[in-house]
Amino acid sequence: QDQLQQKIICPGPVTCLTASPNGLYILAGVAESIYLWEVSNGNLLAILNRHYQDLTCLCFTDDSSHFLSGAKDCLALVWNLYNVLQAEPSQIPDPRHVWSRHSLPITDLCCGFGGPLARAATASLDQTAKLWEVSSGELLLSVLFDVGIMAVTLDLSEYHMFCGGMDGSIFQVDLCAWPVQRDRTFQTERENGKVFKGHRNQVTCLSVSTDGSLLLSGSHDETVRLWDIQSKQCLKTMNHKGPVTNAFIVLAPANMLNPDGKPSVPLPKFSKHLHGTESSDEPGTEGVTLRLGLRQQEPGQSYLEKAERMYSQMYSTREKNLVGDQEHLTIQVSELEEEVSNLRKINKDLFNFSARIITKPAK
């Protein structure tokens, strides 16, 4: 029996949710805002308000360094996670890129491999799917379809882009087709061999297997279908009791089939208030204080006193090491004495020069 590990109450209905590939952060779209939590302690690290309408999709790059957000305001934003984490709580960091080439709400996002050098795909109700370069923000490709696009994904080699339409069709776009055109029109009649047909309602999600041979699709027709990409044949249909909103292929965890397998680290309770503000001072949210040499410290010591004591200990250790080599110590002392003598001479010359200038009679 599946047991609920943690129930997290959010400030409003969550329209989209994603986790960073490294497992450290959680992103959630609540109305027009992006909420960023740290998984290990549940701290709410940032609330980003740069969209003007409700969020529809979120995704991370494969190295967790950037994330993308799409909303009903027709904008797709690229965020640098480091800049978001370093920003002050009172400031809203600027996104790295603002993609505003869509004319209707963004419905889906997909990011390829390569970290900040990856390519990202966006889908929209304006009947287009666009391919972008994350590093420069440049638009690489725009494909126009006959219907609004609800889902988009890339295969692992990024040879193909798969787009799910509102009519239930799934389109396969060749990214390496010749001649290279930035603006293309997908004509279903001419490219009949590149369309997956079977869903009776809008396609909401797409996912490609790691070997690039299988395509998984979910739809509002209450089914999930598994397709063979090469032949475009439906291999399996899984029925559900309601519209399918999300489905994706993942590598099976090592202990998935182990009946005794349990989460090694329990999820903490996620904070409702921004970390670092007064309202977030709740019991149990304090950071971990690491003390060095706890038994040697006296109660009531200030930070400067502790730092000075540590420095004196380090310096005494260095002196003990120098005593081990008496000859080297003698040479170093003589060099220091000579430097002090030179500094005294320079100081004396500067003093005499200044005195002559000050006491020089005016003409």
Side-chain angles (χ1 to χ4, degrees):
Q1 296 180 354
D2 294 334
Q3 295 183 357
L4 183 65
Q5 188 177 356
Q6 181 65 265
K7 183 178 180 179
I8 301 169
I9 305 299
C10 293
V14 177
T15 56
C16 50
L17 181 73
T18 188
S20 61
N22 58 18
L24 299 180
Y25 303 99
I26 289 285
L27 283 175
V30 180
E32 305 96 1
S33 304
I34 304 172
Y35 285 72
L36 173 64
W37 281 282
E38 189 173 6
V39 175
S40 61
N41 50 31
N43 288 335
L44 179 58
L45 302 181
I47 302 176
L48 307 175
N49 298 291
R50 288 300 299 266
H51 283 284
Y52 304 102
Q53 294 186 36
D54 290 356
L55 269 292
T56 56
C57 43
L58 291 163
C59 73
F60 271 95
T61 56
D62 62 323
D63 66 344
S64 305
S65 65
H66 292 71
F67 62 90
L68 288 73
S69 61
K72 293 181 179 180
D73 58 5
C74 315
L75 298 178
L77 308 182
V78 180
W79 303 86
N80 186 318
L81 180 60
Y82 176 80
N83 291 342
V84 172
L85 296 177
Q86 291 298 314
E88 295 293 332
S90 59
Q91 297 177 348
I92 300 177
D94 294 326
R96 181 172 179 180
H97 300 300
V98 178
W99 294 335
S100 57
R101 301 290 291 272
H102 285 288
S103 57
L104 286 176
I106 307 291
T107 54
D108 197 14
L109 289 167
C110 174
C111 194
F113 285 85
L117 303 178
R119 296 186 295 180
T122 57
S124 172
L125 293 178
D126 63 5
Q127 301 185 2
T128 66
K130 300 183 186 295
L131 191 67
W132 310 81
E133 189 176 52
V134 174
S135 58
S136 64
E138 182 182 357
L139 176 62
L140 302 177
L141 175 67
S142 178
V143 184
L144 177 64
F145 298 89
D146 297 331
V147 296
I149 303 301
M150 301 299 299
V152 64
T153 191
L154 300 167
D155 63 354
L156 196 63
S157 59
E158 298 185 19
Y159 283 166
H160 305 289
M161 179 170 64
F162 299 92
C163 306
M166 293 192 67
D167 63 348
S169 300
I170 303 172
F171 310 100
Q172 176 180 318
V173 179
D174 294 335
L175 301 180
C176 301
W178 188 264
V180 178
Q181 296 176 323
R182 177 169 294 185
D183 296 295
R184 290 160 54 180
T185 301
F186 190 95
Q187 298 178 348
T188 307
E189 299 80 10
R190 296 183 181 179
E191 305 186 62
N192 193 35
K194 298 178 182 178
V195 181
F196 300 79
K197 295 183 178 180
H199 285 295
R200 300 181 304 275
N201 205 333
Q202 67 182 33
V203 177
T204 56
C205 50
L206 293 170
S207 180
V208 181
S209 61
T210 53
D211 62 356
S213 64
L214 301 175
L215 174 67
L216 185 74
S217 62
S219 171
H220 276 190
D221 64 6
E222 303 183 0
T223 65
V224 172
R225 292 177 179 262
L226 190 65
W227 308 82
D228 178 70
I229 293 178
Q230 188 68 27
S231 64
K232 307 294 185 293
Q233 295 297 314
C234 180
L235 303 178
K236 189 175 183 180
T237 301
M238 292 155 277
N239 296 312
H240 291 261
K241 296 181 180 180
V244 178
T245 57
N246 202 1
F248 52 91
I249 300 174
V250 295
L251 295 175
N255 63 342
M256 185 181 73
L257 301 179
N258 183 9
D260 299 328
K262 295 181 180 180
S264 57
V265 181
L267 282 174
K269 184 179 180 181
F270 280 22
S271 174
K272 299 179 182 179
H273 305 290
L274 197 60
H275 182 62
T277 60
E278 295 180 0
S279 56
S280 66
D281 295 333
E282 302 174 356
T285 60
E286 296 84 2
V288 177
T289 303
L290 186 63
R291 293 188 176 183
L292 301 178
L294 182 60
R295 296 181 179 177
Q296 300 175 0
Q297 292 180 357
E298 299 176 1
Q301 280 186 317
S302 67
Y303 172 78
L304 292 178
E305 291 173 340
K306 296 176 183 177
E308 185 177 357
R309 184 168 183 173
M310 290 181 63
Y311 178 78
S312 62
Q313 292 177 353
M314 293 169 59
Y315 193 76
S316 63
T317 304
R318 179 175 177 270
E319 285 182 340
K320 292 177 182 178
N321 294 335
L322 288 175
V323 170
D325 192 349
Q326 190 65 33
E327 184 178 356
H328 179 72
L329 179 61
T330 304
I331 295 174
Q332 190 174 19
V333 169
S334 62
E335 291 177 351
L336 291 174
E337 289 178 347
E338 184 179 356
E339 185 176 356
V340 169
S341 178
N342 292 333
L343 290 175
R344 285 178 176 173
K345 184 177 181 303
I346 294 173
N347 188 41
K348 185 177 180 180
D349 293 342
L350 285 173
F351 175 78
N352 293 334
F353 176 76
S354 302
R356 286 199 304 269
I357 293 295
I358 295 173
T359 58
K360 186 176 181 181
K363 295 182 179 180

